[in-house]
Amino acid sequence: DNGLVANVTANVTFPDGVIVVVALVRSAGGSDIFNGSLVNSSVVGVYNVSFRVNDSVSNVNGTERINFSVADTFAPGVFDAELNGSSYNVSGVVNFTVNVSDNGSGVSVVRGNITLADGTFKTFNFSLLVGNVFNITLNDTIVIGQYNISILANDTSGNVNHSERFFFLINDTVAPRVINMSPNNTVIEAGPPINISVNVTDTGVIVNVTANV
């Protein structure tokens, strides 16, 4: 400007339609360069900027426009796996919760690839529980041993985190249940063989049943 530039602002329209006005300040030394900062650029997409410049005698230039794009290039973070390294009883229900967060476009899908103790491979989709916490409930725990879980988390921009791995252990810690013992408090005639029977159940595999007479 041949006169004195009085005010420079940038009207920034976010991809979601929000408009923010940024005041630009002349650089040190009295140059013709004006700078400002857009503090929040967390929304992915195209940002449109229109400049408004007026001088000391109220002449205004509001015709200059530019745009730029903000992309999400970071995969979601996966942490705070609740069951990692924990032990559970065979045939029990295992609830697995994990925190998955993304500072860009947002979490799209969280999937668990689970290798059971017998080598069987299964895939489960996590459900959003609350906030950034995702959950799956596992019922297939009839095999004793170590279960390995690899997490695949991707955001809506297609970034994938598949580097997180966890495990849990399935043990048999509950003694077998014994019911319907026979004969019980019964008088039996001496001489003939006596049949001893019992009903035994267990969450795992019953290996041996003996009767000490």
Side-chain angles (χ1 to χ4, degrees), residues 26-138:
R26 188 189 296 271
S27 299
S31 71
D32 291 333
I33 299 175
F34 289 74
N35 296 303
S37 296
L38 183 64
V39 177
N40 180 17
S41 60
S42 60
V43 182
V44 175
V46 178
Y47 290 65
N48 294 296
V49 183
S50 62
F51 294 95
R52 180 180 176 86
V53 183
N54 67 286
D55 61 19
S56 57
V57 292
S58 300
N59 297 305
V60 178
N61 182 348
T63 62
E64 307 304 323
R65 287 169 172 77
I66 62 171
N67 66 70
F68 62 89
S69 297
V70 171
D72 177 14
T73 60
F74 294 97
V78 178
F79 50 95
D80 292 342
E82 187 176 86
L83 61 64
N84 192 34
S86 300
S87 296
Y88 300 87
N89 194 62
V90 65
S91 297
V93 176
V94 176
N95 287 306
F96 181 21
T97 61
V98 64
N99 194 308
V100 182
S101 61
D102 187 76
N103 292 327
S105 58
V107 177
S108 174
V109 175
V110 180
R111 184 175 295 115
N113 296 322
I114 303 178
T115 303
L116 280 62
D118 60 0
T120 304
F121 182 84
K122 294 188 175 182
T123 299
F124 297 86
N125 286 326
F126 282 75
S127 299
L128 180 61
L129 192 61
V130 61
N132 294 322
V133 179
F134 290 77
N135 170 267
I136 55 172
T137 300
L138 307 175

Side-chain angles (χ1 to χ4, degrees), residues 174-190:
V174 179
R177 183 180 180 220
V178 180
I179 60 174
N180 298 330
M181 294 168 286
S182 178
N184 184 26
N185 294 325
T186 302
V187 177
I188 300 176
E189 182 180 353

